[in-house]
Structure formats: C-alpha cells, structure tokens
Amino acid sequence: MRNTLVIAAKEVRAYVTSPMAYVVTAVFLAVSGLFFADHLSQVQQASMQGFFSRGSFFLLLLAPVLTMRLLAEEQQLGTIELLLTAPVRDSEVVLGKFLASFAIVVGMLLLTLYYPLMLLWFGDPDLGPIGTGYLGLLLLGACYLAVGVLASSLTNNQIVAAVLALGVLILLWVMSGAAAFVQAVPLAGQVLRYLSISTHYGDFMNGVLDTSHVVYYLTFLAAGLFLAIRSLETRRWR
Amino acid sequence: MERVRSFLGESAPVTASLGVLTFVGAGLISLLIPELQSAALALVGVGLVLLLLSVLGALPQIRAVLFARQARYGTNTTVMIVIFIAIVVVLNVIGARNNQRFDLTASAQFTLARQTVTVLKGLETPVKVTGFFQQSTPLGRASQQAAESLLREYRYHSDKLSYEFVDPDEKPAIARQYEIRDYGALVFESEGHRKQLLDIQEQAFTGAILNITGAEQLKVYFLAGHGERNAESAEDEGFQYAKEGLEADNYLVQSLDLSADPKVPEDAAVLIVAAPQKPLLPEEVNGVQQYLERGGKALVLLEPNPSQELGEVLGQWGVALRGGTVMDTLAFAQPDNGTPAVLRNQYYCDAVLCHPIVKDLDTTFFPGATALIPEVKEQDPFLVLPLFQTTAQSWLETDGEGFEDGKDLKGPLLLGLTVEGPPSPAPEGTVGDGPGGSTGNARIVVIGDSDFATNKFFYSQFNSDLFLNSVNWLAAQEKLISIRPKPPEFRRLVITQRSWAWILYSSMVFLPLAMLISGGVVWWRRR
C-alpha cells in the first residue's frame, strides 16, 4: 500500500512539474466553459446539463493524453525493467500511476465547481442532479483513465498508447448506437447498450443514482486495471 | 500468399492507426452531427475492418506475446483473465437485476406515483412500448429522451415492460404498420391490444398500460331504441366510423336498450346518447339518471329542438336547453351559417390550462346545432365547465327569419361543456372501484350537435378528435385521476447581459488562462 502511494506521489509531481497537465486542464476548462455557458443561454435555466452531457465526451478525448506517458514512457526509456525488478509489485505500479492520473482529473473537475458556484450565485439550481452528475463524471473519468493505463502498458510508443486508448473509448461510447442495427439477433441490442459506457451515464445526469450503473463503472475500472497489471506481468517473460 | 502476409504484416501499424482514427472520426461525427448516425456507424464498421486487417498482419507478434516461451505463464495469465472477466460479468448481471434507484431531484421527477408502482408490480403480461420520434430534429431527440427517462423508471418496477424507439423517417414501414400519424407517438401494446399516445406523462402511460392489459377493456354503450345515431350504420348519418375510432382506442362498443331493462349495466364505462329522436320512457330516463347519480359517465350529443325528457335530465345537471338552431355569421363551414365552426380561439383555455378534451384541437364544425345554457344554482353540488363556444356574431335562430332581438338568444353561445358531479358514496357490498367508475364523480360531456361525428363528417378537420377525446376523458380511470402530472422542473435563471458576459468570459477565458499561466510559470522555473 505504501509503495502505491509513493509511486502515485512521484507521478503526481511529474505531472505538476510538466506543462502537459496544465495545457490539458486549460483546454478542458475552456471547452467545458463553452459547453456550460452555451447551454445556459439556450435554456435560460440554472442547469449544468451542457457541461455534463458534452463535457463527459470531451473528457474522453483528453484522458488518453494524460495517461499515454504513464507506462509507455518507462518502457521506451528502459526504466521499466528497474521498476519491475524493484521490491514493488506490478499491481502497486499500475495502481499508483492510475491514482496519480485520477488525482489530476479530480483536480480538473474541482476547478469546474466554479460553474455550479455561479449557478448558486445567480439562480437556484437543483443540487441533486449536480451531485449525481459529478459522481458520474468521476466514475466515468476513472474508467477512461483505466483504459488509458491499459493502453499505455501495451506499448512503448506514447502516441500508439494514446490513439489506442482513444479508439477503444470511442468505440465503447458509441456502441449503444449500433443496437438498432442488430435487431435480428435477440438480446444483442441490449448487450451492446449495456456494454457501452455512455449508456450508464444518462441517469447520473438526470439526478438518479442507480446502483447498477455504479456496479458497471466499478467493475469496468477493476477490469481495466487488472488487464493492465497482467499486461505488465507478461513483460517479465516477453 | 506469402506476399499478402508480409504486406499485411508490414502495414499492420498503419492499418491499426487508420482503424483507430476511423473510430475517432466516427465518434466525433456521432457526437457533433447526430443526424449522420448511420454514417458514423458505417465508419465504425470500416474501422473494425481495418483493425481486423492489422490484427491479421500482426498475428505473429500477437502470438508471440500471448503464447510466450514460458507457455506455462501464458496459459496462467489467460486463465486468470478469463476467470476475472467471468466474475465481472456475474457481478454486473447481479447488479443489474438487483439494482436500487434513488431519485435525487428536488421535485422527485423520477419517482413514480404509488398507483403506478402498484400497477407495474401487478403486471402479468408483457407490455411493449414503441416510441416514434424523429431523430433529425432537436425537438424529436429531446422528446425521445424525455420518453426514455420516464420509461426507464417504469422498467425499473417491472421487467415485463420493454421499450424501443423507431425513427418514423428511417423506418416508415414500421410506422405505417402501427398506424402512426404524428411524430412523437408512443404505442403501448400487450397481447394484441394496442393504444397510442401523444402525451409523455405518467398519467397517460399508466392509463395506457391499464387499458391494454386485457382486464380493463372498457365498454362503451350507445343508447338505442329512439332513433339515435346507429353505430352499425355505414350510411352518411351513421356512426360506424365513430365506433371504429372507439375500438381503435381499445373500447368495446355495444348498444343498450333500456326499455327492456331500465338499468344501465355496471360495466358501462361510458354511455353515449347520440341525438334520440323519439321520446324516452320514464323508466329509461330514470335508468339514465340513476346511472349518473352513482357516478356514471355520459356523452350526450344533441340536435336542435331536443326532446323534453332529455332537457329535464340535463336540467338536473345544470344544463338548460332552448329551441332553435345556432347560426354564426363569422365562423361557419361554407356556405352555411347554420353550421357553426369552432376555431382555436373559441376553445376555453386560460393562459395556463386547457381542458384535456380540447387541448390539442383545431377547427371543428357542427352542422345544425343547439346551444347549451349553463344554469347552476348555488346549492348544486356539481361543476359545469364550458368547452367551446361560437363567436359573438351568432344567435339561436327560432323561426328562420334572421336574428330578432328579444326573441333569439344572442351569441356567443356554448356548443360544448362538461359537468362533473360530486363523489357519491359506494353502494353497500361493492369494493369500490370497479370499471365504469361506480364510485367517484359523475361526468357528462354535452355537445350541441351529433352530425359532426357521423360518417359523413367524422374524419373532417378535428371532429373525430373531439369525439374520441370526450370519450377518453369520460372513461378516465378513477385510480389515475389522483396521479397529478408533474410540472417540468423549471429553474429559471434570470441574468442581466453583464452577468451573462461575466459567466461566459470567466468560464471560457479566465479559468483556462489561469491554468496556462500556472503551466507557464512551472515551465519557466524548470529551465
């Protein structure tokens, strides 16, 4: 456990001392701000829907950028061998790096709390859906990062890691749309819809907390990190 | 073959990247241009093909990774992965089946009324809901989302309920099969019974479910034996289309002869009195009056110079009648002033509410109508509400000599109204809410004409809707009346132009700028 935190802390320091995290955050804030304000102007209501609905997808696009470096760089620089032979478990490496990227995403989301603060200042927003919206974003973000960490563990090329993560995430996001095309096969549509990460976010945006969605996201997260750990493991004998 | 393999192998990184980029493109299109969903999905297909090619090309490397030198470790890992995935699947299945939902909205928008939950938990037959929403307009998409939110709540309480959405533009054949005439229609079906709705409301949904799940097929009786409109007749003056319209709404239509047995059957959800020409016997009048007094629902269609008994019954319920035919010189069906027309602005609606019967109606017209005169005395326990009227340039013509002041009643004249009676006590021995509302308020819809619903005019303008809406409103289940429609959550944000600019600029510019500056500082310090 201690090792995990040490690795996480080291990684966070790396994030904070390089411009990359700041640029990603700035871009995220700028675009999210646009989504937030644009929706407000359209509906004239104290609602965060603009940010939640479109910002969630935008976060998907940025997450691979945050994670691409985590394991791929070490593999590229050759420091991965050092890490893997140290008295540190593979799981601690993966978890530590994941936690660091998650900390950055949490920071990004904390900064967006500016939006509900403004809504509270100027109007009377319904806080329930805002709370569940953020919870959903946290879960969603964690899943994005898990996929990113997994992709980063599979290659020594950061670009490949980013693009791979991006592709998988987008596939998972739009999968529910294909449900209409597989009418012929019974259950196929429902399965596709269930597997898609975007399906489970809808209720959070509306203000409904459904435990099945939480189960989905947590198992998704666990699966992503588990596969990443296994992938690191294969390096030992690759 | 070798050349193909080596070509695939060498191009693997390229095809892989292209495949992934295609996915990215598909995702962006799907998000930014929702109308091109099919194109986005086609791109996903292309991406899959490309990825498949790259996998084929990189097969040797993949095989090396998966089935490494230490085959033992390889199988070990694979087995672990398979077991883990299996656990994940099981957890999700359990989680999905045993989920708990918590509605955290302030107005409990996503919590269903107790009655709805009872109905859903008691569902024995599968119910399928098909929504027909346009995907190419923002309104269509938003409506579909609203319908889906509500249906999701319904589904939570009963897994016998399933739903799906069909875009009528993309699949017109299916829309035709369900006889969809408007965008935004929802069809509830169960075991062959169908009901179509345009309302995305809990009350309407639960009503439809009750309606189609067999036991609640409501009976509508047409009073017969006095030369009333004949529901079996396909002649111009017949009511066959009206009957078919009722059956399409899942009602069972029968005729009722009160001279044989003057009691209106207990299972009568609605009694329709369609312009009797001959006088009613006293026992028949009594039968109708008793039916109303025990909470019955009636649709009364009149003609000019209605019979005395009918006048007396209606008089007991606050509606007076007078001889004469309504003439309107401003709104009428050309070329006959004696066919007053009712345009949108002649329906009784205030700034906020419209009676459900007339809420969505446009022009209707009434060939040969009589006027309705509300006469409610102070101690009368019922409520008479107007539905629609003629214009001010109308009068009740008594002798065919044009408007004569003092003799002919001047407009605007009421052509349609509703009467709602007080709740009546349940008769001893009954459980209380059988079909037909044997307890609960009496409801009467009175319309001053019956020709509008004859075969000749039924499908003209909105005449059919007026007729069917009236019956539907009358037959509304008592159980459902108490489901109050939830007002949409409206958290108005009133901001000045300056505040708006502040919100926009601080969110889009200041915050990100602060981030960039911090990044710049960090970068500078590292140099």
Side-chain angles (χ1 to χ4, degrees):
Chain A
M1 191 57 201
R2 255 201 78 229
N3 290 332
T4 312
L5 291 176
V6 164
I7 294 178
K10 167 187 164 294
E11 211 56 61
V12 169
R13 204 170 307 134
Y15 271 123
V16 164
T17 53
S18 98
M20 190 257 273
Y22 296 93
V23 172
V24 167
T25 309
V27 168
F28 180 69
L29 287 174
V31 175
S32 299
L34 176 63
F35 289 151
F36 168 67
D38 179 52
H39 178 78
L40 273 192
S41 76
Q42 278 187 12
V43 300
Q44 302 279 339
Q45 287 183 51
S47 144
M48 291 274 291
Q49 288 295 67
F51 168 61
F52 284 139
S53 67
R54 298 160 104 180
S56 53
F57 183 73
F58 192 64
L59 186 60
L60 181 156
L61 298 179
L62 291 178
V65 174
L66 282 177
T67 54
M68 65 191 198
R69 181 180 61 81
L70 288 175
L71 287 167
E73 191 179 51
E74 311 247 13
Q75 298 184 63
Q76 186 178 47
L77 295 178
T79 54
I80 191 77
E81 266 74 23
L82 259 168
L83 197 55
L84 294 181
T85 51
V88 162
R89 282 196 284 245
D90 292 348
S91 58
E92 290 170 330
V93 171
V94 167
L95 216 57
K97 298 217 177 229
F98 165 76
L99 281 176
S101 64
F102 189 60
I104 300 298
V105 166
V106 168
M108 280 164 67
L109 291 179
L110 278 175
L111 285 169
T112 66
L113 283 177
Y114 181 65
Y115 309 146
L117 276 176
M118 286 222 276
L119 289 183
L120 280 166
W121 179 269
F122 287 108
D124 174 32
D126 186 353
L127 291 177
I130 294 183
T132 54
Y134 271 108
L135 177 61
L137 264 187
L138 279 172
L139 289 169
L140 207 50
C143 292
Y144 294 159
L145 296 172
V147 171
V149 167
L150 174 57
S152 188
S153 72
L154 291 174
T155 168
N156 58 6
N157 184 326
Q158 291 189 42
I159 308 289
V160 169
V163 175
L164 187 60
L166 201 55
V168 168
L169 284 172
I170 290 185
L171 184 64
L172 286 170
W173 185 271
V174 302
M175 214 151 77
S176 51
F181 287 76
V182 293
Q183 303 279 22
V185 183
L187 274 194
Q190 277 178 293
V191 169
L192 276 180
R193 255 191 292 258
Y194 188 84
L195 287 177
S196 172
I197 37 173
S198 51
T199 322
H200 296 270
Y201 183 56
D203 275 338
F204 287 104
M205 277 201 289
N206 284 334
V208 173
L209 178 57
D210 188 330
T211 55
S212 72
H213 301 316
V214 176
V215 166
Y216 172 86
Y217 283 129
L218 289 178
T219 51
F220 186 103
L221 175 61
L225 293 179
F226 177 81
L227 290 173
I229 297 173
R230 296 281 83 78
S231 156
L232 265 198
E233 211 174 63
T234 66
R235 273 207 121 259
R236 293 187 189 282
W237 39 266
R238 222 190 288 175
Chain B
M1 202 53 213
E2 257 314 306
R3 277 216 283 169
V4 171
R5 212 174 295 170
S6 71
F7 172 71
L8 276 180
E10 271 163 23
S11 58
V14 175
T15 39
S17 322
L18 275 179
V20 169
L21 280 172
T22 317
F23 279 155
V24 174
L28 289 172
I29 292 180
S30 152
L31 187 78
L32 299 172
I33 318 175
E35 300 83 55
L36 294 178
Q37 281 288 11
S38 355
L41 279 160
L43 271 184
V44 169
V46 169
L48 277 171
V49 168
L50 285 171
L51 276 183
L52 193 63
L53 284 176
S54 68
V55 163
L56 283 174
L59 215 50
Q61 284 123 308
I62 295 181
R63 234 180 298 186
V65 168
L66 289 180
F67 307 108
R69 287 170 289 154
Q70 252 92 339
R72 206 166 18 118
Y73 289 151
T75 355
N76 221 353
T77 313
T78 321
V79 166
M80 268 204 283
I81 292 179
V82 166
I83 295 180
F84 191 87
I85 301 289
I87 295 178
V88 161
V89 168
V90 167
L91 280 176
N92 271 282
V93 167
I94 297 178
R97 283 197 194 287
N98 300 296
N99 61 335
Q100 296 278 354
R101 283 175 80 87
F102 303 97
D103 179 348
L104 279 95
T105 58
S107 64
Q109 281 180 283
F110 297 98
T111 311
L112 300 176
R114 226 167 345 131
Q115 290 95 328
T116 302
V117 175
T118 315
V119 168
L120 286 172
K121 290 220 188 292
L123 261 191
E124 287 176 352
T125 54
V127 172
K128 176 160 185 247
V129 184
T130 314
F132 293 87
F133 295 93
Q134 246 186 329
Q135 284 299 95
S136 52
T137 60
L139 178 65
R141 285 195 294 276
S143 307
Q144 178 165 317
Q145 274 195 1
E148 183 160 21
S149 293
L150 192 52
L151 284 171
R152 229 180 316 187
E153 296 306 316
Y154 272 69
R155 189 168 166 69
Y156 174 52
H157 292 285
S158 170
D159 54 13
K160 294 235 162 48
L161 186 119
S162 64
Y163 59 89
E164 75 167 315
F165 293 101
V166 173
D167 187 339
D169 290 333
E170 300 226 334
K171 303 216 170 107
I174 301 187
R176 263 197 302 276
Q177 190 191 340
Y178 280 87
E179 293 170 27
I180 304 298
R181 281 188 293 158
D182 304 280
Y183 288 120
L186 287 139
V187 177
F188 285 70
E189 59 183 323
S190 174
E191 314 233 302
H193 300 291
R194 275 190 196 166
K195 184 144 175 82
Q196 207 182 105
L197 286 182
L198 283 176
D199 223 352
I200 304 177
Q201 280 263 24
E202 190 187 334
Q203 199 167 6
F205 279 22
T206 308
I209 292 176
L210 277 173
N211 197 303
I212 58 171
T213 47
E216 301 287 355
Q217 187 172 33
L218 301 174
K219 275 203 179 144
V220 171
Y221 284 96
F222 273 87
L223 188 65
H226 317 91
E228 289 96 345
R229 302 291 182 183
N230 188 350
E232 309 294 334
S233 160
E235 313 271 307
D236 274 349
E237 321 85 48
F239 257 37
Q240 194 182 62
Y241 286 168
K243 174 170 183 242
E244 286 171 4
L246 288 170
E247 286 169 341
D249 266 355
N250 207 34
Y251 291 106
L252 204 55
V253 179
Q254 287 184 356
S255 88
L256 179 64
D257 183 355
L258 283 181
S259 61
D261 176 8
K263 186 163 189 284
V264 176
E266 284 294 333
D267 64 2
V270 177
L271 174 68
I272 299 186
V273 180
Q277 317 257 39
K278 299 203 270 285
L280 274 73
L281 300 171
E283 311 88 71
E284 295 176 308
V285 171
N286 221 2
V288 172
Q289 180 67 359
Q290 290 209 350
Y291 170 64
L292 290 174
E293 276 174 8
R294 63 169 195 266
K297 329 284 188 206
L299 172 61
V300 181
L301 304 178
L302 300 169
E303 282 296 316
N305 307 309
S307 71
Q308 201 185 6
E309 312 84 53
L310 209 45
E312 278 171 9
V313 173
L314 288 176
Q316 303 241 17
W317 291 89
V319 182
L321 303 172
R322 271 206 225 174
T325 309
V326 173
M327 301 292 232
D328 192 323
T329 53
L330 185 57
F332 57 94
Q334 300 277 8
D336 177 19
N337 284 0
T339 303
V342 171
L343 307 172
R344 263 227 68 81
N345 60 334
Q346 289 163 249
Y347 292 103
Y348 268 81
C349 290
D350 61 31
V352 184
L353 284 178
C354 248
H355 196 284
I357 296 179
V358 300
K359 189 164 68 117
D360 297 310
L361 290 187
D362 213 310
T363 311
T364 50
F365 61 92
F366 307 89
T370 186
L372 309 169
I373 301 150
E375 265 179 16
V376 184
K377 299 181 277 292
E378 257 210 42
Q379 65 272 30
D380 282 332
F382 43 77
L383 189 63
V384 175
L385 289 175
L387 281 179
F388 50 90
Q389 63 184 11
T390 56
T391 67
Q393 303 204 29
S394 61
W395 70 95
L396 193 60
E397 178 61 57
T398 46
D399 55 11
E401 313 240 337
F403 178 59
E404 289 152 292
D405 206 356
K407 195 166 172 208
D408 297 330
L409 188 62
K410 185 142 178 42
L413 302 166
L414 265 189
L415 287 181
L417 52 74
T418 64
V419 183
E420 264 192 276
S424 49
E428 288 178 20
T430 62
V431 180
D433 56 358
S438 47
T439 54
N441 305 8
R443 284 183 165 186
I444 315 176
V445 175
V446 187
I447 298 180
D449 174 54
S450 66
D451 297 274
F452 79 98
T454 56
N455 297 336
K456 186 167 182 199
F457 299 111
F458 192 67
Y459 284 117
S460 305
Q461 303 278 36
F462 280 76
N463 287 1
S464 61
D465 298 276
L466 173 61
F467 181 82
L468 294 171
N469 285 0
S470 302
V471 176
N472 278 324
W473 178 77
L474 286 167
Q477 303 282 308
E478 288 306 331
K479 303 179 211 182
L480 301 179
I481 299 302
S482 49
I483 297 180
R484 232 155 294 284
K486 295 203 178 75
E489 186 62 8
F490 234 38
R491 301 243 166 187
R492 209 137 246 294
L493 192 65
V494 183
I495 38 183
T496 63
Q497 193 58 21
R498 258 206 328 176
S499 312
W500 165 244
W502 166 255
I503 293 179
L504 186 63
Y505 288 119
S506 61
S507 315
M508 268 195 74
V509 179
F510 300 159
L511 258 179
L513 211 55
M515 266 296 111
L516 284 176
I517 292 175
S518 320
V521 163
V522 160
W523 176 73
W524 196 79
R525 289 239 307 246
R526 286 234 303 176
R527 292 182 80 234

